[in-house]
Amino acid sequence: MTGYTMLRNGGVGNGGQPWVLRWSSRIRLTWLSFTLFIILVFFPLIAHYYLTTIDDADDAGKRIFGPRTGNELCEVKHVQDLCRIRESVSEELLQLEAKRQELNSEIAKLNLKIEACKKSIENAKQDLLQLKNVISQTEHSYKELMAQNQPKLSLPIRLLPDKDDATFPLPKSNRNCRLHNCFDYSRCPLTSGFPVYVYNSDDYPFGSSLDPLIKQAFEATVRTNVYVTENANIACVYIILVGEMQEPVMPKPTELEQQLHSLPYWRTDGHNHLIINLSRKSETQNFIYNISTGRAMIAQSTFYDVQYRPGFDIVVSPLVHAMSEPNFLEIPPQVPVKRKYLFSFQGEKIESLRSSLQEVRSFEEEIEGNAPADYDDRIITTLKAVQDSKLDFVLVEFTCKNQPKASLPTEWALCGERDDRLELLKLSTFALIITPGDTRLVISAGCAMRLFEALEVGAIPVVLGEQVQLPYNDVIRWSEAALIIPKPRITEVHFLLRSISDNDLLAMRRQGRFLWETYFSTSDNVFSTVLAIIRTRIQIPAAPIREEAAVEIPHRSGKAAGTDPNMADNGDLDLGPVETEPPYASPRYLRNFTLTAMDIYRNWNSAPGPFHLFPYTPFDPVLPSEAKFLGSGTGFRPIGGGAGGSGKEFQAALGGNVPREQFTVVMLTYEREEVLMNSLERLNGLPYLNKVVVVWNSPKLPSEDLLWPDIGVPIMVVRTEKNSLNNRFLPWDEIETEAILSIDDDAHLRHDEIMFGFRVWREARDRIVGFPGRYHAWDIPHQSWLYNSNYSCELSMVLTGAAFFHKYYAYLYSYVMPQAIRDMVDEYINCEDIAMNFLVSHLTRKPPIKVTSRWTFRCPGCPQALSHDDSHFHERHKCINFFVKVYGYMPLLYTQFRVDSVLFKTRLPHDKTKCFKFI
């Protein structure tokens, strides 16, 4: 060791140190490389050998490095997550496999069902084809039976008028003319439509003598009349206007007779001609009396008994309002019933006045058989005695303060001007009309003028003289509007007038106002009434009233309409049998050719106009076994019907006596597309709905990209000429059902509510049946009527924003109701529902029917409606008071009657197959 050290030191110190250092470094590197080689190569081999040999030990629990089982590996922390994933995937794979097998099994089952359904469909198609064949054979057999039981009828041959009718039989005298011997029926077949040809008076010399106002009014009426034709060769009746003539230029009777006989279609005797002599003044003379008119009919206001031919000639009313419409604001109201004077009379009879005042015979002389020379003397004495008794306020004047109007002999002349006479009649409950003393004068223009003025202002006419022929007396029951008393009963007149009750007075005044408005007030009414009388006499049905042609707005539909659960979900309520048939229109009326021979008085006294609007009364039965109008009865009425007396369940029949019926929804809207679409969708699935008519009240058309819902029935979008709430009630030709459900575009009604309202309306077809009720009230401080929408147990109106009514009332509202009411609706853009309630109550004298307890409608999210405006209620107050002035009284009637859906909500046992409804 010492040597080594020395060598080391010596080597370094002797100059060999660098070599030693290099050698030592080389040795260290070689050793390090060899060591690393041994570690990297031989150590793994040795370790592998050792591990493989040590694992062969018998004690498995002492193995340290050998392969281990799965559970043992899972105990290793970094492998546990992988194990859980493997197990989860394995389980999911097993579940998916099970589901796959289950789905395969279901697919196999469904394939079997599909095959079975295909076979069922094929069988059903075969059955349907067989049923169609059976139906077709049944219809064919039915037609054959009908053809065997009904004779084949053909229309009569149309006969054209000839100038010479030599084969037409001649009566012994023109005074004996009646329809059967002076009228040629062959020119007026039932299917002719009653064509009327009107001569142009300007083509003849007497035309220059006509009163200009009457001539102008007559020509204006002729231009708009539906029966007038320009083809004289097919005419049934020929009309010529000959009066009123102007005095200075009036032709001589012989000249006028020659001019009439020279008419191109006079045919020697003038049969099927009508000579009209209208009077605008009370002093109109009867210049036709001295003219030979042959077989021509005469219509005028003055007739002598030798001249008038009952059932052939026509007594017409005077034409007072020739070219002007009556001003309803100047007509006094019909209430109060009693007025200042019990009765009044002003007149002067020039020829017999002095003798009447100086020579009066006693009643004892009459009893002894000495008849008085003139009953007018007794009338004067009796009326003066009543006036002097002061028992009632009466006003009788037998001497005019001013010069009396010209009059016929023995006729009581009118006193004063027309306005003065009307002011007196407005204060009179009754108006005395004394017929001429000459009994040969059956009617005079003066009497007709007195009758016209009395009816105009609501004074009940009291006609003294039973021989009088009042205007249109063969078709109007005058006993409902006037008192016709024989002159010998003059002493009993005062007692009779005082004994009439207020209810009867008001009924007579209402009927008189109706007759005046319908048949007297305008030139159009007078001319239409004359034609209607002739047409009714020869039993030709009236021309159907025109309907509003619906101009459809093209729109796209196809959007699947959903069902609002709040609207259609009725719980367990059964709405009745579901209508599975396509839209079904109401049957057309079948009595067109028989009604003219039946119920003449009833139709003329109840129809709203001389045209009868329809050739039938709308609530009459369609078929003898199917009564449409049930009326209002008392007691129990079975709902539905069945064989064996068991009846039908409520859920099995719609009810009523018309087994099949649907209704049409008329919805008014104005630029609220989203609200409209929602409302239409709520109608999806509604039973018994025929179609929906959307009245588009805006000049702006709907959006082109608007997709309308498909609700299972047609939706007709109608374009209107102007924005008017009156469009809601136009009788559109697209409405083919009698029942109309008028509904606002923002009204929310459930299906069960609509169905219940429809059922109720079918039991009261002449009334408005709806949901929101309103009432009118009298404002004592302001002495006027008010419109009230507060909740109340009493009502007099039902809003037509959700109400059923008959289509008949749509015609009346649009064509018959005074135009002044429709003008006010347009002015305020309001009150159309009030106007409809006034109209129906005025005609039926019945209040509307409210169903359910609903009082208002709520439309969440809807734009603000017109009813939210502050001026809405003020305008409705004004409307009610204006309508009262037009009608002359308050036609609305109060009611506390309300119909609730008892049969919908009452659970009946299944064995109770018969249920009743109390009416």
Side-chain angles (χ1 to χ4, degrees):
M1 191 173 170
T2 303
Y4 174 75
T5 303
M6 294 211 29
L7 179 63
R8 180 182 179 188
N9 293 335
V12 173
N14 295 328
Q17 290 180 356
W19 178 87
V20 174
L21 291 174
R22 287 192 297 271
W23 182 81
S24 60
S25 298
R26 189 178 297 115
I27 294 172
R28 286 195 294 270
L29 290 172
T30 301
W31 175 253
L32 181 61
S33 300
F34 178 78
T35 303
L36 291 175
F37 176 78
I38 295 298
I39 292 172
L40 295 176
V41 175
F42 290 97
F43 182 77
L45 294 175
I46 296 171
H48 179 267
Y49 173 78
Y50 174 77
L51 292 175
T52 55
T53 56
I54 198 173
D55 287 339
D56 294 336
D58 295 334
D59 190 1
K62 295 181 179 181
R63 289 181 300 175
I64 299 174
F65 300 102
R68 298 179 183 272
T69 62
N71 293 332
E72 292 174 340
L73 292 175
C74 290
E75 295 177 359
V76 182
K77 185 177 181 179
H78 66 278
V79 184
Q80 289 179 354
D81 293 339
L82 296 176
C83 293
R84 284 194 298 268
I85 292 173
R86 185 187 67 179
E87 293 176 357
S88 176
V89 171
S90 300
E91 291 178 359
E92 290 181 359
L93 290 175
L94 293 175
Q95 292 177 1
L96 291 174
E97 179 64 21
K99 289 183 178 179
R100 185 182 68 83
Q101 295 178 359
E102 183 180 353
L103 291 175
N104 288 335
S105 176
E106 291 181 359
I107 289 173
K109 293 179 180 179
L110 291 176
N111 288 331
L112 294 176
K113 290 184 179 179
I114 290 173
E115 294 298 328
C117 290
K118 289 182 178 179
K119 293 181 180 179
S120 300
I121 291 174
E122 292 297 329
N123 295 333
K125 289 182 178 179
Q126 295 296 330
D127 295 341
L128 180 60
L129 183 60
Q130 292 179 2
L131 288 176
K132 289 182 177 180
N133 293 332
V134 172
I135 292 174
S136 178
Q137 294 176 1
T138 305
E139 291 179 349
H140 183 70
S141 301
Y142 174 76
K143 291 180 180 179
E144 288 182 350
L145 291 175
M146 295 295 294
Q148 293 176 2
N149 296 328
Q150 292 182 353
K152 294 182 179 181
L153 299 177
S154 59
L155 296 178
I157 299 176
R158 187 79 181 223
L159 298 180
L160 300 180
D162 297 326
K163 292 186 177 181
D164 297 326
D165 290 327
T167 59
F168 198 64
L170 295 174
K172 295 181 179 180
S173 172
N174 291 335
R175 289 189 55 189
N176 299 326
C177 263
R178 299 297 184 270
L179 289 176
H180 69 277
N181 58 5
C182 287
F183 189 86
D184 187 1
Y185 280 90
S186 64
R187 304 179 187 277
C188 306
L190 291 176
T191 58
S192 64
F194 191 60
V196 174
Y197 179 79
V198 180
Y199 291 99
N200 186 1
S201 301
D202 292 335
D203 296 339
Y204 305 96
F206 62 84
S208 59
S209 303
L210 296 177
D211 186 301
L213 288 179
I214 289 184
K215 180 180 178 181
Q216 185 178 358
F218 182 79
E219 291 176 350
T221 300
V222 167
R223 285 194 296 267
T224 59
N225 193 275
V226 67
Y227 297 105
V228 174
T229 179
E230 296 181 358
N231 187 359
N233 293 325
I234 65 171
C236 168
V237 175
Y238 301 84
I239 297 179
I240 182 66
L241 178 68
V242 299
E244 182 175 57
M245 294 282 188
Q246 294 178 316
E247 291 290 343
V249 292
M250 181 181 299
K252 296 180 180 179
T254 56
E255 296 177 354
L256 181 60
E257 180 177 331
Q258 292 177 358
Q259 295 175 23
L260 290 177
H261 292 180
S262 63
L263 293 175
Y265 301 98
W266 186 261
R267 295 186 296 273
T268 68
D269 58 3
H271 61 270
N272 288 46
H273 274 64
L274 174 65
I275 301 174
I276 297 181
N277 178 24
L278 299 176
S279 60
R280 194 168 60 88
K281 298 174 291 186
S282 61
E283 57 269 23
T284 300
Q285 300 297 319
N286 183 13
F287 62 90
I288 301 182
Y289 178 72
N290 297 321
I291 295 177
S292 174
T293 58
R295 297 178 179 176
M297 296 174 286
I298 300 175
Q300 61 180 9
S301 299
T302 302
F303 278 104
Y304 286 98
D305 57 353
V306 296
Q307 179 188 17
Y308 179 69
R309 296 163 293 186
F312 192 75
D313 294 327
I314 302 174
V315 179
V316 300
S317 61
L319 189 60
V320 178
H321 301 287
M323 290 300 297
S324 62
E325 295 288 334
N327 188 354
F328 292 99
L329 298 180
E330 297 180 356
I331 300 176
Q334 299 184 30
V335 290
V337 177
K338 300 291 183 62
R339 298 178 177 178
K340 178 179 179 181
Y341 299 111
L342 177 64
F343 61 83
S344 63
F345 176 81
Q346 286 181 326
E348 181 174 342
K349 189 164 64 172
I350 305 300
E351 294 187 2
S352 60
L353 178 60
R354 184 176 295 102
S355 61
S356 299
L357 295 177
Q358 293 179 355
E359 182 180 356
V360 178
R361 301 194 179 190
S362 64
F363 290 104
E364 290 77 5
E365 293 177 344
E366 295 185 27
I367 296 176
E368 292 175 358
N370 299 321
D374 193 345
Y375 279 114
D376 290 354
D377 299 340
R378 190 56 41 85
I379 292 174
I380 294 174
T381 303
T382 304
L383 295 182
K384 283 184 173 294
V386 173
Q387 185 178 26
D388 296 338
S389 66
K390 307 296 183 180
L391 295 176
D392 290 291
F393 286 105
V394 299
L395 191 152
V396 290
E397 296 178 352
F398 301 104
T399 304
C400 295
K401 297 178 181 179
N402 300 320
Q403 182 66 26
K405 304 294 182 182
S407 61
L408 297 175
T410 71
E411 181 187 16
W412 288 91
L414 293 172
C415 296
E417 299 298 329
R418 168 178 158 80
D419 293 340
D420 298 333
R421 298 195 299 270
L422 292 180
E423 290 300 323
L424 175 60
L425 292 174
K426 291 178 182 179
L427 302 175
S428 306
T429 305
F430 296 94
L432 295 185
I433 301 176
I434 305 176
T435 58
D438 187 356
T439 56
R440 296 174 299 175
L441 190 61
V442 295
I443 185 63
S444 64
C447 288
M449 183 66 69
R450 290 181 183 272
L451 179 66
F452 180 95
E453 294 177 352
L455 295 176
E456 181 178 5
V457 297
I460 301 174
V462 179
V463 182
L464 297 179
E466 78 282 2
Q467 81 283 358
V468 68
Q469 299 290 335
L470 296 181
Y472 322 125
N473 60 334
D474 54 344
V475 292
I476 292 180
R477 186 178 298 171
W478 278 106
S479 60
E480 297 180 356
L483 295 174
I484 302 178
I485 304 174
K487 287 185 177 181
R489 294 191 178 275
I490 182 61
T491 58
E492 302 171 331
V493 169
H494 185 211
F495 167 79
L496 178 61
L497 299 184
R498 294 190 66 182
S499 64
I500 300 177
S501 65
D502 290 352
N503 290 337
D504 291 338
L505 289 177
L506 183 59
M508 296 181 69
R509 185 171 294 165
R510 283 188 60 251
Q511 183 66 11
R513 173 72 175 270
F514 165 76
L515 296 177
W516 179 79
E517 289 182 0
T518 308
Y519 308 117
F520 291 74
S521 57
T522 64
S523 59
D524 182 69
N525 290 344
V526 172
F527 183 69
S528 299
T529 303
V530 171
L531 294 186
I533 290 176
I534 299 175
R535 179 185 52 76
T536 304
R537 286 176 177 176
I538 62 179
Q539 301 181 354
I540 294 181
I545 191 171
R546 68 181 179 91
E547 294 184 311
E548 289 293 324
V551 180
E552 184 178 7
I553 300 177
H555 61 280
R556 293 188 304 152
S557 61
K559 174 184 176 183
T563 303
D564 188 343
N566 296 324
M567 297 295 109
D569 185 11
N570 307 299
D572 56 351
L573 300 182
D574 196 338
L575 302 182
V578 178
E579 185 79 7
T580 58
E581 299 181 359
Y584 173 73
S586 297
R588 296 291 183 179
Y589 199 73
L590 304 179
R591 290 179 59 197
N592 293 340
F593 295 100
T594 58
L595 184 74
T596 53
M598 301 171 59
D599 307 327
I600 293 179
Y601 276 115
R602 181 173 63 87
N603 289 326
W604 275 86
N605 284 274
S606 61
F611 284 112
H612 298 297
L613 294 187
F614 298 105
Y616 61 89
T617 302
F619 309 115
D620 284 344
V622 175
L623 299 175
S625 60
E626 297 178 2
K628 280 191 173 182
F629 173 53
L630 302 179
S632 57
T634 57
F636 290 90
R637 178 175 298 167
I639 301 298
S646 62
K648 284 190 177 182
E649 295 180 359
F650 181 79
Q651 293 83 359
L654 181 61
N657 294 313
V658 181
R660 300 174 61 199
E661 188 169 21
Q662 295 178 342
F663 62 91
T664 302
V665 168
V666 176
M667 186 177 296
L668 187 72
T669 186
Y670 186 90
E671 295 184 2
R672 299 199 295 181
E673 294 181 354
E674 183 179 357
V675 176
L676 174 63
M677 295 302 107
N678 294 333
S679 297
L680 291 176
E681 288 187 3
R682 287 192 293 269
L683 299 177
N684 185 31
L686 180 61
Y688 302 102
L689 178 59
N690 181 271
K691 71 174 60 172
V692 178
V693 177
V694 178
V695 181
W696 190 264
N697 223 22
S698 171
K700 180 181 177 181
L701 296 180
S703 304
E704 295 182 0
D705 57 348
L706 182 63
L707 193 60
W708 295 70
D710 183 4
I711 60 175
V713 297
I715 297 179
M716 174 70 65
V717 185
V718 178
R719 185 175 184 177
T720 57
E721 296 181 356
K722 64 176 182 178
N723 177 20
S724 172
L725 293 180
N726 293 317
N727 295 332
R728 178 195 298 272
F729 302 123
L730 285 175
W732 302 104
D733 56 1
E734 290 295 331
I735 302 177
E736 299 177 324
T737 61
E738 295 182 1
I740 296 177
L741 172 58
S742 174
I743 189 170
D744 289 336
D745 58 359
D746 58 355
H748 283 214
L749 284 176
R750 299 193 311 271
H751 287 189
D752 64 301
E753 293 177 319
I754 296 177
M755 283 305 304
F756 178 65
F758 182 48
R759 284 176 174 267
V760 174
W761 177 86
R762 285 166 51 84
E763 301 290 338
R765 308 174 72 90
D766 61 334
R767 301 164 80 172
I768 300 177
V769 177
F771 299 89
R774 300 294 186 265
Y775 66 97
H776 66 288
W778 179 251
D779 184 8
I780 297 179
H782 298 87
Q783 293 294 295
S784 63
W785 294 102
L786 296 178
Y787 171 85
N788 203 316
S789 63
N790 296 331
Y791 290 87
S792 172
C793 294
E794 193 170 51
L795 61 99
S796 59
M797 292 174 282
V798 166
L799 300 185
T800 54
F804 285 92
F805 63 90
H806 200 288
K807 187 181 178 182
Y808 178 71
Y809 294 125
Y811 293 94
L812 301 185
Y813 184 98
S814 302
Y815 304 141
V816 177
M817 187 179 68
Q819 181 63 37
I821 296 179
R822 293 189 293 272
D823 291 340
M824 191 167 195
V825 171
D826 288 336
E827 178 183 354
Y828 286 151
I829 316 180
N830 199 344
C831 307
E832 84 287 356
D833 48 357
I834 300 178
M836 177 59 80
N837 278 271
F838 265 69
L839 174 66
V840 177
S841 296
H842 170 67
L843 293 175
T844 63
R845 302 307 301 139
K846 297 176 184 179
I849 296 179
K850 173 176 169 53
V851 293
T852 75
S853 60
R854 183 186 288 270
W855 198 262
T856 58
F857 292 113
R858 293 180 177 87
C859 181
C862 293
Q864 190 175 19
L866 294 174
S867 58
H868 292 86
D869 191 355
D870 294 337
S871 62
H872 177 74
F873 285 94
H874 297 288
E875 293 172 351
R876 294 174 85 82
H877 299 329
K878 295 179 182 178
C879 287
I880 285 186
N881 287 280
F882 178 78
F883 296 166
V884 169
K885 291 182 179 179
V886 173
Y887 282 97
Y889 75 112
M890 169 54 76
L892 298 179
L893 300 174
Y894 292 109
T895 180
Q896 293 183 350
F897 178 76
R898 191 185 81 194
V899 183
D900 285 327
S901 53
V902 177
L903 293 180
F904 278 161
K905 299 181 179 180
T906 301
R907 300 296 175 263
L908 299 176
H910 294 290
D911 57 342
K912 303 297 183 181
T913 59
K914 192 174 184 181
C915 59
F916 294 88
K917 178 179 179 182
F918 183 76
I919 297 178

